Amino acid sequence: MTIALILFVVLLLLRIPIAFVLGMTTIVYIFATDNMGLMLTVPQRLYSGMENYGLLAIPLFMLAGELMNSGGITKRLIDFAKSFVGHFRGGLAYVNVIANMLLASIIGSATAQIAMMSRTMVPSMEKEGYSRPFSAATTAAAGLLGPIIPPSMLFIIYGVGSGVSIGSMFIAGVLPGILLGLSFIMLIAFIGMKEKWPTQQRARVSEVFISFIKVIPALLVPTIIIIGILSGIFTPTESAAFACLVALIVGFFFYKELDLRKLPSILVNTTVTTAIITLLIAMANLFGWMLSFELVPQKIAAWMVALTDNPLLFLLLVNIFLLLLGMFMDGIAALIILVPIFAPLLVNYGIDPIHFGVIICINLTIGILTPPVGSGLYIASSLSDVSLGALIKAMWPFLIVSLAVLLIITYWTPLTLWLPSL
């Protein structure tokens, strides 16, 4: 086991893709322990890690996001946010956050939002006089809202791994996502007053009204998702499929920007992204199986229980551990590995699994913006043409605010448990 863990750390430091790191580490462990009988069950473990109906929601929500981007829905959401708050000091930065909040209700992936918004918002903000590092940092930070405001790939994976309702996880993420978005807006307001950013001309009431009318069809997608799940009409997976249908209809018939000739490329993009995530889920399940074989979850559980019997202190230790882990490991892989470790402890400490799920997902999401392995940092840096050092320097205020919100969510359970379980 020691050899496997050393190899795991070395491969991570060499920046090898995390899916290959997990798979290679497990294979080396099997050879090192000379337990070749385990090798026969590797294909079965890879398959069983993906054999869950709930995971089907991931490619469907990604397809809905692709259809929205190509169908002009994303553009209307940004235009509406700009007409609503664009005239305030730092207005375009507000637009960035609010647009990400709206997109988060459809896309559900931080890295996807950071990649998309870096191409659109960073150049626009720079033209308005914002520094490029601040523009990239705002875009990357606002991308954190993707996996928090439902739907969320991390919530789906946590729900599948822990056995809690995915619909309940979606609802539990609404208020934390809004709180994080408002916190970013307050930070931007403070920086705007300090830097004395210029104000923009206020949009006329008629312009705001017209923009609102145009965005109504775009808002149908998140509205259908939330209402469908809350009312029990849809499961999360079914709501994802219906969201794809609505995005297709809105983009083709309402906005008339969705070219059916683009559908093959849209499907290919969705397939490639799904394949990447699926490979990661399969390899993480294999790695988690190795840990279970070595009784690592039980040993960690025993150590945590011996360390403290106070649930508040337990949550603090978990947060510190997850923040450190998130600096080096992909959130999806970490989530699949950690859920079986922490789930048995929740009963001992009397912690609601839905509340804990929101905590762990937000914590690991913050990890995509922390060096040295934060994927969101590299995406924003590359697409915004900003040096990594300058981006990290501009990112610190947003990270501090994110950690403050994480602590509030950790110790104020009504933010996540405001509705009964679905």
Side-chain angles (χ1 to χ4, degrees):
M1 187 65 185
T2 304
I3 296 175
L5 292 178
I6 292 173
L7 177 66
F8 176 80
V9 174
V10 171
L11 293 177
L12 275 183
L13 293 175
L14 291 175
R15 303 292 302 279
I16 293 175
I18 183 66
F20 296 121
V21 173
L22 296 170
M24 292 166 65
T25 302
T26 306
I27 297 301
V28 167
Y29 163 79
I30 292 175
F31 279 104
T33 56
D34 197 26
N35 195 343
M36 300 308 295
L38 295 178
M39 188 66 75
L40 299 176
T41 62
V42 167
Q44 180 183 357
R45 290 291 172 178
L46 290 172
Y47 178 78
S48 64
M50 301 175 291
E51 191 185 14
N52 192 291
Y53 175 72
L55 292 176
L56 184 60
I58 293 176
L60 290 174
F61 279 125
M62 287 192 294
L63 177 58
E66 289 281 349
L67 291 170
M68 290 186 66
N69 291 338
S70 301
I73 296 176
T74 301
K75 179 178 180 295
R76 266 68 178 194
L77 292 173
I78 294 174
D79 289 344
F80 172 67
K82 187 179 293 186
S83 69
F84 197 64
V85 298
H87 60 279
F88 290 107
R89 189 184 301 275
L92 208 52
Y94 295 147
V95 170
N96 199 337
V97 175
I98 293 175
N100 270 284
M101 292 176 72
L102 295 172
L103 290 173
S105 62
I106 299 145
I107 297 177
S109 166
T111 51
Q113 283 192 205
I114 292 171
M116 182 180 68
M117 297 297 281
S118 292
R119 297 189 187 97
T120 56
M121 291 305 301
V122 173
S124 299
M125 290 180 68
E126 191 177 28
K127 287 179 183 178
E128 295 290 339
Y130 300 87
S131 71
R132 183 171 281 265
F134 174 79
S135 303
T138 304
T139 304
L144 293 180
L145 299 167
I148 302 172
I149 296 177
S152 162
M153 283 193 290
L154 288 182
F155 285 175
I156 294 170
I157 293 170
Y158 177 83
V160 169
S162 65
V164 304
S165 164
I166 296 175
S168 295
M169 287 299 303
F170 280 3
I171 300 307
V174 173
L175 293 184
I178 293 174
L179 175 62
L180 185 60
L182 292 176
S183 300
F184 286 156
I185 289 174
M186 288 189 287
L187 173 63
I188 292 168
F190 173 76
I191 296 175
M193 290 187 291
K194 183 180 177 182
E195 299 291 333
K196 297 182 179 178
W197 288 332
T199 57
Q200 305 295 322
Q201 183 177 355
R202 180 189 293 268
R204 294 192 299 270
V205 176
S206 59
E207 292 175 339
V208 176
F209 180 74
I210 292 172
S211 178
F212 175 71
I213 295 298
K214 289 181 178 179
V215 84
I216 288 177
L219 294 176
L220 283 175
V221 180
T223 302
I224 287 171
I225 292 171
I226 298 300
I227 293 179
I229 293 174
L230 273 177
S231 63
I233 298 175
F234 303 132
T235 66
T237 303
E238 291 166 349
S239 71
F242 203 75
C244 291
L245 177 62
V246 174
L248 185 66
I249 293 172
V250 170
F252 187 75
F253 292 104
F254 283 86
Y255 297 143
K256 300 180 180 178
E257 292 187 18
L258 183 60
D259 190 344
L260 292 182
R261 290 174 295 185
K262 294 181 180 179
L263 279 181
S265 63
I266 290 173
L267 294 173
V268 167
N269 290 339
T270 303
T271 302
V272 170
T273 308
T274 301
I276 294 171
I277 295 174
T278 302
L279 177 64
L280 180 55
I281 291 174
M283 292 300 182
N285 184 71
L286 190 65
F287 186 81
W289 169 61
M290 177 192 73
L291 296 180
S292 299
F293 190 81
E294 283 288 322
L295 301 178
V296 172
Q298 291 86 337
K299 293 174 183 177
I300 293 179
W303 176 75
M304 294 290 287
V305 171
L307 195 62
T308 179
D309 58 358
N310 188 319
L312 301 181
L313 182 57
F314 167 74
L315 288 175
L316 179 62
L317 293 173
V318 168
N319 274 326
I320 294 172
F321 170 72
L322 293 176
L323 287 170
L324 293 174
L325 184 68
M327 292 181 179
F328 300 96
M329 196 171 184
D330 180 85
I332 293 177
L335 189 64
I336 298 170
I337 294 168
L338 294 175
V339 168
I341 294 175
F342 286 121
L345 296 176
L346 302 183
V347 177
N348 296 336
Y349 288 99
I351 298 171
D352 190 285
I354 294 174
H355 177 63
F356 185 78
V358 175
I359 294 171
I360 190 173
C361 289
I362 293 177
N363 204 312
L364 293 173
T365 299
I366 293 173
I368 71 169
L369 297 182
T370 54
V373 187
S375 58
L377 281 178
Y378 292 101
I379 292 172
S381 173
S382 174
L383 296 179
S384 304
D385 194 22
V386 176
S387 70
L388 196 60
L391 179 58
I392 292 173
K393 184 178 179 181
M395 182 67 66
W396 279 115
F398 292 97
L399 289 176
I400 292 172
V401 167
S402 300
L403 293 176
V405 171
L406 175 62
L407 285 176
I408 293 172
I409 293 168
T410 299
Y411 295 113
W412 192 21
T413 56
L415 275 174
T416 56
L417 304 178
W418 57 285
L419 271 184
S421 297
L422 298 175

